[in-house]
Amino acid sequence: KEDTPAFVSIVQQKKRAQTGNTFWYIDPAFIVLRRKLTVLNGVWEHEASSIVGVKRVSTVEVLLSPEYEYVCLPFSCIAGGKREQEQSPFRLCTYSASSINISAISKDV
């Protein structure tokens, strides 16, 4: 196996034709961390991050190595505010040169 370049994005739903609700975009920020697969309980290291203002999409480019496992930690500095919904739904999208496996981690971890 070899390294794979990839784009990782957080994408919010479109506002188009949503005139009947109070939906607003948030600041879709996230951090990508990596940890060596061969080290039991290894340390997570910073790989990439995207900290942006209010917009629909946030993207980073990373070089994924088969020697590491990766985690994406989304966050927002304004979600849940006065004009925001309690939850701000988003989709995690990836585009890569080779196939990659993505799985969700339990919210209880």
Side-chain angles (χ1 to χ4, degrees), residues 50-68:
S50 176
I51 301 173
V52 297
V54 175
K55 57 193 290 185
R56 183 170 178 252
V57 179
S58 177
T59 302
V60 296
E61 183 177 9
V62 293
L63 186 62
L64 302 175
S65 169
E67 298 176 11
Y68 290 87

Side-chain angles (χ1 to χ4, degrees), residues 71-84:
V71 64
C72 179
L73 305 172
F75 66 94
S76 169
C77 296
I78 63 172
K82 290 182 181 179
R83 70 175 199 176
E84 307 303 326

Side-chain angles (χ1 to χ4, degrees), residues 3-107:
D3 293 354
T4 300
F7 291 96
V8 180
S9 301
I10 289 182
V11 182
Q12 298 179 79
Q13 63 186 356
K14 291 183 179 179
K15 290 193 319 186
R16 186 175 186 172
Q18 295 200 36
T19 58
N21 66 23
T22 59
F23 172 74
W24 293 91
Y25 288 148
I26 61 162
D27 55 332
F30 65 99
I31 297 172
V32 177
L33 302 175
R34 72 179 188 171
R35 175 171 70 178
K36 274 234 185 237
L37 287 171
T38 57
V39 179
L40 184 63
N41 296 322
V43 174
W44 288 99
E45 302 170 340
H46 176 265
E47 176 66 17
S49 54
S50 176
I51 301 173
V52 297
V54 175
K55 57 193 290 185
R56 183 170 178 252
V57 179
S58 177
T59 302
V60 296
E61 183 177 9
V62 293
L63 186 62
L64 302 175
S65 169
E67 298 176 11
Y68 290 87
E69 64 180 328
Y70 297 84
V71 64
C72 179
L73 305 172
F75 66 94
S76 169
C77 296
I78 63 172
K82 290 182 181 179
R83 70 175 199 176
E84 307 303 326
Q85 297 173 338
E86 207 169 290
Q87 296 182 1
S88 298
F90 65 88
R91 181 178 307 248
L92 178 70
C93 299
T94 61
Y95 300 95
S96 62
S98 301
S99 295
I100 57 175
N101 295 323
I102 298 175
S103 59
I105 298 175
S106 170
K107 291 189 285 186

